[in-house]
Amino acid sequence: AQLADYCSITNMHTKNLAIVWAPNLLRSKQIESACFSGTAAFMEVRIQSVVVEFILNHVDVLFSSKLSSVIRDGAG
């Protein structure tokens, strides 16, 4: 998310970062197998990039100490 803060200089906003990082962060053995066609593999990578982009756009909430304590205590 900090890297995305410099998107005016690097042109790597969250969407671009997600496209680049998603296949490595959320690697799928199904995509790598021979049974996935080109279209299916593209859709899978698209879903992965949407997930990574969501995480990058919501880092402050997802990794906040308040959320961590709620999850740890089971109160949410």
XYZ file of all heavy atoms in Angstrom:
582
model
N 0.829 -1.191 0.000
C 0.000 0.000 0.000
C 0.873 1.253 0.000
O 0.498 2.248 -0.619
C -0.936 -0.006 1.207
N 2.015 1.193 0.669
C 2.904 2.350 0.678
C 3.472 2.608 -0.709
O 3.642 3.754 -1.110
C 4.037 2.155 1.685
C 3.566 2.183 3.119
C 4.687 1.893 4.097
O 5.796 1.541 3.722
N 4.384 2.030 5.372
N 3.740 1.571 -1.443
C 4.232 1.718 -2.808
C 3.176 2.402 -3.681
O 3.508 3.238 -4.520
C 4.605 0.358 -3.380
C 5.268 0.339 -4.747
C 6.536 1.172 -4.752
C 5.575 -1.086 -5.151
N 1.923 2.080 -3.481
C 0.841 2.695 -4.249
C 0.730 4.189 -3.962
O 0.211 4.947 -4.795
C -0.485 2.004 -3.953
N 1.203 4.628 -2.807
C 1.187 6.062 -2.483
C 2.032 6.876 -3.455
O 1.833 8.068 -3.601
C 1.686 6.306 -1.049
C 0.704 5.809 -0.006
O -0.490 5.638 -0.331
O 1.135 5.584 1.136
N 2.970 6.226 -4.130
C 3.850 6.916 -5.076
C 3.396 6.714 -6.527
O 4.176 6.854 -7.455
C 5.290 6.413 -4.908
C 5.870 6.753 -3.566
C 5.850 5.828 -2.526
C 6.416 8.007 -3.331
C 6.367 6.152 -1.276
C 6.940 8.336 -2.096
C 6.913 7.399 -1.074
O 7.417 7.728 0.148
N 2.114 6.407 -6.711
C 1.626 6.108 -8.060
C 1.750 7.294 -9.011
O 1.865 7.103 -10.221
C 0.186 5.606 -8.016
S -1.012 6.827 -7.463
N 1.770 8.505 -8.494
C 1.938 9.662 -9.382
C 3.325 9.663 -10.026
O 3.507 10.190 -11.116
C 1.714 10.963 -8.618
O 2.664 11.102 -7.583
N 4.280 9.034 -9.383
C 5.642 8.950 -9.909
C 5.836 7.653 -10.697
O 6.405 7.654 -11.790
C 6.671 9.015 -8.762
C 6.555 10.344 -8.024
C 8.091 8.810 -9.277
C 7.291 10.382 -6.709
N 5.353 6.534 -10.151
C 5.627 5.218 -10.724
C 4.536 4.691 -11.648
O 4.760 3.737 -12.377
C 5.811 4.187 -9.603
O 4.566 4.066 -8.889
C 6.935 4.579 -8.663
N 3.345 5.284 -11.583
C 2.159 4.815 -12.310
C 1.766 3.393 -11.884
O 1.130 2.659 -12.630
C 2.350 4.876 -13.826
C 1.020 4.852 -14.560
O 0.019 5.352 -14.042
N 0.998 4.264 -15.724
N 2.180 3.006 -10.692
C 1.817 1.701 -10.155
C 0.799 1.891 -9.035
O 1.115 1.806 -7.853
C 3.059 0.962 -9.649
C 4.006 0.534 -10.744
S 3.257 -0.584 -11.948
C 3.208 -2.092 -11.012
N -0.435 2.174 -9.427
C -1.494 2.309 -8.445
C -1.946 0.909 -8.028
O -1.428 -0.099 -8.520
C -2.649 3.156 -8.987
C -3.046 2.803 -10.378
N -3.857 1.746 -10.665
C -2.717 3.364 -11.561
C -4.030 1.662 -11.963
N -3.343 2.637 -12.543
N -2.899 0.822 -7.129
C -3.258 -0.480 -6.558
C -3.690 -1.491 -7.619
O -3.377 -2.672 -7.497
C -4.353 -0.331 -5.490
O -5.477 0.336 -6.053
C -3.848 0.423 -4.284
N -4.380 -1.046 -8.639
C -4.818 -1.984 -9.676
C -3.621 -2.590 -10.414
O -3.568 -3.802 -10.637
C -5.754 -1.295 -10.659
C -6.343 -2.237 -11.671
C -7.393 -1.549 -12.513
C -8.080 -2.557 -13.384
N -9.460 -2.747 -13.068
N -2.652 -1.755 -10.784
C -1.455 -2.269 -11.462
C -0.650 -3.182 -10.552
O -0.146 -4.223 -10.995
C -0.581 -1.124 -11.961
C -1.141 -0.447 -13.180
O -2.027 -0.967 -13.841
N -0.644 0.740 -13.477
N -0.494 -2.800 -9.297
C 0.243 -3.642 -8.350
C -0.451 -4.989 -8.187
O 0.200 -6.033 -8.153
C 0.366 -2.937 -6.998
C 1.277 -1.712 -6.970
C 1.125 -0.974 -5.651
C 2.719 -2.111 -7.208
N -1.767 -4.976 -8.103
C -2.527 -6.216 -7.950
C -2.354 -7.129 -9.156
O -2.193 -8.342 -9.004
C -4.001 -5.896 -7.724
N -2.368 -6.559 -10.337
C -2.198 -7.361 -11.552
C -0.832 -8.046 -11.558
O -0.711 -9.210 -11.937
C -2.382 -6.488 -12.810
C -3.851 -6.088 -12.948
C -1.890 -7.193 -14.061
C -4.106 -5.006 -13.991
N 0.180 -7.330 -11.115
C 1.541 -7.874 -11.115
C 1.741 -8.885 -9.988
O 2.343 -9.944 -10.184
C 2.576 -6.733 -10.997
C 3.971 -7.266 -10.804
C 2.507 -5.839 -12.230
N 1.240 -8.578 -8.810
C 1.509 -9.413 -7.643
C 0.562 -10.592 -7.468
O 0.947 -11.614 -6.884
C 1.462 -8.569 -6.369
C 2.599 -7.629 -6.224
C 3.800 -7.655 -6.869
C 2.647 -6.485 -5.372
N 4.580 -6.618 -6.465
C 3.907 -5.872 -5.548
C 1.760 -5.921 -4.477
C 4.289 -4.736 -4.858
C 2.131 -4.783 -3.785
C 3.381 -4.196 -3.978
N -0.669 -10.488 -7.927
C -1.685 -11.511 -7.655
C -1.263 -12.929 -8.043
O -1.438 -13.852 -7.238
C -3.005 -11.139 -8.316
N -0.727 -13.145 -9.231
C -0.376 -14.522 -9.586
C 0.679 -15.145 -8.664
O 0.732 -16.362 -8.523
C 0.178 -14.399 -11.016
C -0.415 -13.138 -11.537
C -0.523 -12.223 -10.354
N 1.500 -14.325 -8.046
C 2.519 -14.844 -7.126
C 1.996 -14.963 -5.703
O 2.317 -15.913 -4.997
C 3.760 -13.956 -7.155
C 4.454 -14.023 -8.493
O 4.754 -15.098 -8.970
N 4.670 -12.884 -9.104
N 1.189 -14.007 -5.279
C 0.670 -14.039 -3.912
C -0.413 -15.097 -3.735
O -0.523 -15.707 -2.676
C 0.109 -12.662 -3.526
C 1.124 -11.534 -3.418
C 0.416 -10.212 -3.165
C 2.124 -11.824 -2.307
N -1.224 -15.283 -4.759
C -2.336 -16.230 -4.681
C -2.186 -17.315 -5.746
O -3.109 -17.620 -6.488
C -3.666 -15.483 -4.854
C -3.934 -14.364 -3.850
C -5.216 -13.637 -4.199
C -3.993 -14.908 -2.433
N -1.039 -17.898 -5.796
C -0.726 -18.908 -6.813
C -1.722 -20.069 -6.742
O -2.051 -20.550 -5.671
C 0.686 -19.426 -6.609
C 1.066 -20.483 -7.605
C 2.531 -20.806 -7.511
N 3.060 -20.609 -8.841
C 4.233 -20.141 -9.131
N 5.046 -19.794 -8.181
N 4.615 -20.007 -10.361
N -2.180 -20.480 -7.892
C -3.154 -21.557 -7.973
C -2.585 -22.719 -8.773
O -2.208 -22.559 -9.933
C -4.431 -21.043 -8.644
O -5.299 -22.107 -8.917
N -2.558 -23.887 -8.162
C -2.079 -25.067 -8.871
C -3.039 -25.446 -9.992
O -2.639 -26.047 -10.977
C -1.881 -26.216 -7.908
C -0.754 -25.957 -6.934
C -0.349 -27.217 -6.220
C 0.694 -26.880 -5.194
N 2.030 -27.082 -5.652
N -4.315 -25.074 -9.860
C -5.294 -25.358 -10.912
C -4.944 -24.619 -12.197
O -5.086 -25.157 -13.286
C -6.691 -24.961 -10.463
C -7.254 -25.843 -9.376
C -8.598 -25.361 -8.895
O -8.896 -24.177 -8.987
N -9.397 -26.272 -8.377
N -4.498 -23.368 -12.056
C -4.126 -22.591 -13.240
C -2.919 -23.221 -13.917
O -2.832 -23.262 -15.142
C -3.832 -21.126 -12.880
C -5.123 -20.423 -12.472
C -3.183 -20.384 -14.034
C -4.918 -19.004 -12.000
N -2.000 -23.721 -13.126
C -0.780 -24.292 -13.666
C -1.002 -25.674 -14.283
O -0.185 -26.143 -15.056
C 0.284 -24.370 -12.573
C 0.701 -23.003 -12.083
C 1.599 -23.056 -10.862
O 1.921 -24.163 -10.396
O 1.978 -21.986 -10.377
N -2.116 -26.311 -13.938
C -2.376 -27.640 -14.490
C -2.850 -27.540 -15.941
O -3.317 -26.501 -16.400
C -3.424 -28.375 -13.646
O -4.694 -27.787 -13.844
N -2.746 -28.614 -16.639
C -3.093 -28.639 -18.063
C -4.592 -28.551 -18.300
O -5.019 -28.227 -19.404
C -2.535 -29.906 -18.691
N -5.421 -28.812 -17.302
C -6.868 -28.853 -17.521
C -7.489 -27.465 -17.629
O -8.639 -27.331 -18.015
C -7.558 -29.666 -16.430
S -7.450 -28.942 -14.790
N -6.783 -26.408 -17.294
C -7.338 -25.050 -17.383
C -7.091 -24.491 -18.781
O -5.969 -24.459 -19.256
C -6.674 -24.136 -16.341
C -7.558 -23.828 -15.174
C -7.899 -24.821 -14.287
C -8.049 -22.561 -14.975
C -8.712 -24.551 -13.209
C -8.863 -22.277 -13.899
C -9.200 -23.277 -13.011
N -8.161 -24.052 -19.423
C -8.013 -23.424 -20.741
C -7.550 -21.991 -20.563
O -7.536 -21.461 -19.450
C -9.353 -23.441 -21.474
O -10.263 -22.557 -20.848
N -7.204 -21.315 -21.633
C -6.736 -19.933 -21.566
C -7.757 -18.993 -20.957
O -7.430 -18.144 -20.135
N -9.014 -19.133 -21.321
C -10.071 -18.259 -20.799
C -10.279 -18.484 -19.312
O -10.401 -17.534 -18.543
C -11.388 -18.508 -21.554
O -11.165 -18.303 -22.948
C -12.473 -17.574 -21.079
N -10.325 -19.740 -18.893
C -10.518 -20.052 -17.476
C -9.351 -19.544 -16.646
O -9.542 -19.008 -15.553
C -10.704 -21.551 -17.286
N -8.150 -19.699 -17.165
C -6.969 -19.213 -16.451
C -7.010 -17.699 -16.325
O -6.692 -17.147 -15.267
C -5.700 -19.657 -17.174
N -7.421 -17.020 -17.384
C -7.530 -15.557 -17.339
C -8.540 -15.126 -16.288
O -8.290 -14.183 -15.536
C -7.935 -15.012 -18.708
C -8.174 -13.530 -18.703
C -7.107 -12.644 -18.676
C -9.462 -13.029 -18.696
C -7.322 -11.278 -18.646
C -9.692 -11.661 -18.669
C -8.615 -10.781 -18.646
N -9.678 -15.793 -16.210
C -10.703 -15.436 -15.220
C -10.197 -15.667 -13.805
O -10.474 -14.877 -12.913
C -11.987 -16.248 -15.468
C -12.701 -15.846 -16.742
S -13.106 -14.071 -16.817
C -14.253 -13.933 -15.476
N -9.461 -16.737 -13.598
C -8.912 -17.028 -12.273
C -7.921 -15.945 -11.852
O -7.955 -15.455 -10.721
C -8.237 -18.400 -12.275
C -7.724 -18.850 -10.933
C -8.809 -19.314 -9.982
O -9.937 -19.569 -10.422
O -8.520 -19.415 -8.785
N -7.044 -15.550 -12.757
C -6.077 -14.493 -12.457
C -6.806 -13.177 -12.210
O -6.423 -12.397 -11.339
C -5.032 -14.361 -13.596
C -4.175 -13.126 -13.420
C -4.163 -15.602 -13.639
N -7.869 -12.921 -12.937
C -8.664 -11.698 -12.738
C -9.246 -11.666 -11.328
O -9.203 -10.646 -10.657
C -9.781 -11.643 -13.797
C -10.735 -10.515 -13.622
C -10.116 -9.185 -14.027
N -11.085 -8.140 -13.801
C -10.904 -7.108 -13.011
N -9.762 -6.942 -12.399
N -11.832 -6.203 -12.849
N -9.768 -12.779 -10.871
C -10.317 -12.858 -9.512
C -9.207 -12.623 -8.485
O -9.390 -11.887 -7.516
C -11.013 -14.214 -9.277
C -12.277 -14.302 -10.134
C -11.337 -14.421 -7.804
C -12.867 -15.684 -10.230
N -8.061 -13.242 -8.711
C -6.931 -13.054 -7.801
C -6.529 -11.587 -7.728
O -6.257 -11.060 -6.646
C -5.729 -13.881 -8.260
C -5.908 -15.353 -8.120
C -4.783 -16.131 -8.763
O -4.064 -15.616 -9.611
N -4.638 -17.381 -8.369
N -6.506 -10.906 -8.862
C -6.087 -9.504 -8.856
C -7.110 -8.628 -8.152
O -6.751 -7.667 -7.487
C -5.779 -9.010 -10.266
O -6.874 -8.463 -10.898
N -8.398 -8.965 -8.260
C -9.430 -8.204 -7.546
C -9.253 -8.368 -6.037
O -9.372 -7.394 -5.279
C -10.846 -8.648 -7.998
C -11.917 -8.100 -7.077
C -11.104 -8.211 -9.430
N -8.934 -9.570 -5.601
C -8.710 -9.822 -4.170
C -7.507 -9.031 -3.665
O -7.576 -8.355 -2.622
C -8.531 -11.333 -3.897
C -8.063 -11.588 -2.475
C -9.821 -12.078 -4.182
N -6.407 -9.071 -4.393
C -5.204 -8.340 -3.980
C -5.461 -6.830 -4.003
O -5.041 -6.114 -3.091
C -3.988 -8.723 -4.849
C -2.794 -7.833 -4.555
C -3.625 -10.184 -4.626
N -6.164 -6.348 -5.005
C -6.482 -4.916 -5.057
C -7.339 -4.513 -3.861
O -7.124 -3.461 -3.253
C -7.204 -4.584 -6.360
C -7.471 -3.105 -6.535
C -8.138 -2.777 -7.864
O -8.451 -3.685 -8.647
O -8.365 -1.575 -8.098
N -8.316 -5.342 -3.485
C -9.141 -5.068 -2.313
C -8.277 -4.974 -1.055
O -8.430 -4.062 -0.251
C -10.203 -6.159 -2.134
C -11.043 -5.984 -0.905
C -12.156 -5.163 -0.930
C -10.714 -6.617 0.278
C -12.925 -4.989 0.206
C -11.472 -6.452 1.414
C -12.585 -5.629 1.378
N -7.360 -5.921 -0.907
C -6.473 -5.906 0.267
C -5.640 -4.624 0.286
O -5.526 -3.977 1.328
C -5.574 -7.156 0.278
C -6.420 -8.403 0.532
C -4.466 -7.023 1.327
C -5.690 -9.716 0.299
N -5.078 -4.249 -0.863
C -4.261 -3.035 -0.927
C -5.075 -1.781 -0.615
O -4.581 -0.861 0.028
C -3.616 -2.898 -2.306
C -2.513 -3.898 -2.626
C -2.112 -3.790 -4.088
C -1.314 -3.674 -1.726
N -6.314 -1.754 -1.058
C -7.162 -0.584 -0.819
C -7.703 -0.506 0.603
O -8.180 0.549 1.020
C -8.330 -0.555 -1.814
C -7.886 -0.149 -3.193
O -6.984 0.656 -3.367
N -8.515 -0.720 -4.201
N -7.646 -1.618 1.335
C -8.202 -1.641 2.690
C -7.190 -2.095 3.737
O -7.556 -2.653 4.770
C -9.436 -2.542 2.711
C -10.536 -2.034 1.843
N -10.672 -2.390 0.527
C -11.527 -1.149 2.099
C -11.708 -1.768 0.011
N -12.250 -1.004 0.937
N -5.922 -1.851 3.478
C -4.852 -2.232 4.408
C -5.096 -1.656 5.794
O -4.921 -2.340 6.804
C -3.483 -1.779 3.852
C -2.430 -1.682 4.926
C -3.030 -2.712 2.763
N -5.523 -0.401 5.857
C -5.704 0.259 7.150
C -6.756 -0.439 8.007
O -6.610 -0.514 9.226
C -6.057 1.737 6.960
C -7.255 1.950 6.045
O -7.546 1.067 5.205
O -7.892 3.009 6.160
N -7.778 -1.003 7.408
C -8.822 -1.700 8.160
C -8.426 -3.145 8.424
O -8.528 -3.633 9.552
C -10.165 -1.647 7.402
C -11.227 -2.481 8.099
C -10.627 -0.219 7.229
N -7.970 -3.831 7.391
C -7.667 -5.254 7.510
C -6.519 -5.551 8.466
O -6.500 -6.595 9.106
C -7.338 -5.841 6.128
C -8.491 -5.862 5.136
C -7.997 -6.260 3.755
C -9.581 -6.796 5.609
N -5.552 -4.643 8.546
C -4.388 -4.881 9.385
C -4.335 -3.942 10.588
O -3.273 -3.713 11.154
C -3.107 -4.768 8.551
C -3.045 -5.814 7.467
C -3.361 -5.495 6.165
C -2.705 -7.122 7.774
C -3.327 -6.460 5.163
C -2.667 -8.097 6.789
C -2.988 -7.766 5.483
N -5.490 -3.424 10.982
C -5.525 -2.534 12.145
C -5.476 -3.356 13.430
O -5.907 -4.508 13.467
C -6.786 -1.667 12.139
O -7.909 -2.444 12.485
N -4.961 -2.752 14.460
C -4.882 -3.452 15.742
C -6.276 -3.686 16.312
O -6.512 -4.675 17.006
C -4.024 -2.667 16.727
O -4.551 -1.366 16.906
N -7.223 -2.793 16.019
C -8.589 -2.952 16.508
C -9.224 -4.207 15.915
O -9.832 -4.998 16.624
C -9.426 -1.720 16.156
C -10.831 -1.765 16.690
C -11.580 -0.483 16.372
C -12.997 -0.551 16.905
N -13.754 0.643 16.599
N -9.085 -4.412 14.604
C -9.638 -5.583 13.960
C -8.957 -6.837 14.487
O -9.620 -7.849 14.746
C -9.496 -5.515 12.450
C -10.044 -6.698 11.651
C -11.555 -6.823 11.847
C -9.714 -6.559 10.192
N -7.662 -6.797 14.679
C -6.926 -7.954 15.192
C -7.422 -8.358 16.571
O -7.590 -9.536 16.850
C -5.427 -7.652 15.255
O -4.917 -7.424 13.978
N -7.694 -7.381 17.424
C -8.171 -7.698 18.769
C -9.594 -8.248 18.741
O -9.925 -9.133 19.506
C -8.078 -6.479 19.690
O -8.957 -5.464 19.260
N -10.423 -7.761 17.823
C -11.790 -8.271 17.701
C -11.757 -9.724 17.245
O -12.465 -10.570 17.764
C -12.628 -7.398 16.716
C -13.921 -8.087 16.333
C -12.891 -6.036 17.306
N -10.921 -10.027 16.283
C -10.807 -11.395 15.780
C -10.242 -12.312 16.844
O -10.735 -13.413 17.061
C -9.938 -11.434 14.510
C -10.672 -10.737 13.362
C -9.585 -12.856 14.124
C -9.818 -10.511 12.132
N -9.214 -11.830 17.546
C -8.564 -12.637 18.579
C -9.542 -12.947 19.718
O -9.602 -14.043 20.228
C -7.331 -11.911 19.103
C -6.512 -12.706 20.085
C -5.228 -11.985 20.528
N -5.415 -10.586 20.824
C -4.936 -9.570 20.078
N -4.255 -9.819 18.988
N -5.136 -8.317 20.410
N -10.344 -11.952 20.108
C -11.283 -12.130 21.217
C -12.558 -12.827 20.791
O -13.373 -13.202 21.641
C -11.622 -10.770 21.836
C -10.403 -10.094 22.453
O -9.422 -10.803 22.749
O -10.442 -8.862 22.610
N -12.780 -12.967 19.504
C -13.986 -13.629 19.020
C -15.244 -12.804 19.232
O -16.340 -13.322 19.225
N -15.063 -11.485 19.376
C -16.216 -10.629 19.646
C -16.879 -10.132 18.368
O -17.849 -9.411 18.422
C -15.777 -9.433 20.492
N -16.383 -10.482 17.206
C -16.972 -9.973 15.977
C -17.272 -11.061 15.073
O -17.570 -11.167 14.023
